[in-house]
Amino acid sequence: MKVQYLEIVSPDVESVCTAYELAQNISFGDPDEMLGGARTSVLADGSIIGVRAPLRDSETPVVRPYCLVEDIEKAVKHVEDQGGEIAVPPLEIPGKGKFAIYILGSIEHGFWQL
C-alpha cells in the first residue's frame, strides 16, 4: 500500500506548511488550483503532501490519505460493499489522475489512480 497524496485541510495553511518544512526538511510550492489551492511538496518516494484551506464554510479540518490503486472503480465498489459512503465518486484531475473520497468507520479516506 502506498499513500499517493496526503491532503491536509487547515484554516492556517502557512503555519502547517512552515512546521512541515522545518521538521521534515521539505518545501512547498505555490497553490495548485487543480488541487483546491493546496500548496504541495513532492516527497522522495514520489508521493505528494498538500495543505489547503477549507473550500467551504462547512468543511472541517481533516487529514485525508489517498491510497494508490490500480483500478479506482473496483476499489470504490469494494468500499461500497463494506458499507462505506462514497463522498466523492471517481473524478479525473487533468494531468494528475483520478481520485475518490469515501467515509468508512467515521473516517475520511481517499483513493488515487494515476
Side-chain angles (χ1 to χ4, degrees):
M1 182 173 101
K2 179 183 180 200
V3 174
Q4 177 63 26
Y5 184 61
L6 182 64
E7 180 176 43
I8 300 172
V9 177
S10 171
D12 191 355
V13 171
E14 293 310 312
S15 291
V16 172
C17 287
T18 299
Y20 274 97
E21 287 175 334
L22 294 173
Q24 301 297 326
N25 195 30
I26 61 174
S27 60
F28 287 87
D30 293 331
D32 184 338
E33 294 310 313
M34 297 297 289
L35 296 172
R39 292 189 56 208
T40 62
S41 180
V42 179
L43 305 180
D45 68 352
S47 61
I48 301 167
I49 183 170
V51 182
R52 67 170 175 80
L55 296 175
R56 59 189 186 288
D57 289 340
S58 61
E59 186 174 25
T60 58
V62 67
V63 175
R64 184 183 301 123
Y66 292 79
C67 293
L68 188 62
V69 294
E70 289 185 28
D71 185 336
I72 198 165
E73 302 291 341
K74 184 176 176 180
V76 165
K77 174 75 171 98
H78 288 311
V79 165
E80 287 179 312
D81 291 347
Q82 298 304 310
E85 173 189 346
I86 306 307
V88 178
L91 290 174
E92 179 89 26
I93 299 176
K96 297 186 184 294
K98 286 185 179 180
F99 80 98
I101 298 173
Y102 65 96
I103 302 168
L104 188 60
S106 300
I107 307 259
E108 292 187 24
H109 312 261
F111 291 127
W112 202 280
Q113 178 182 319
L114 297 175

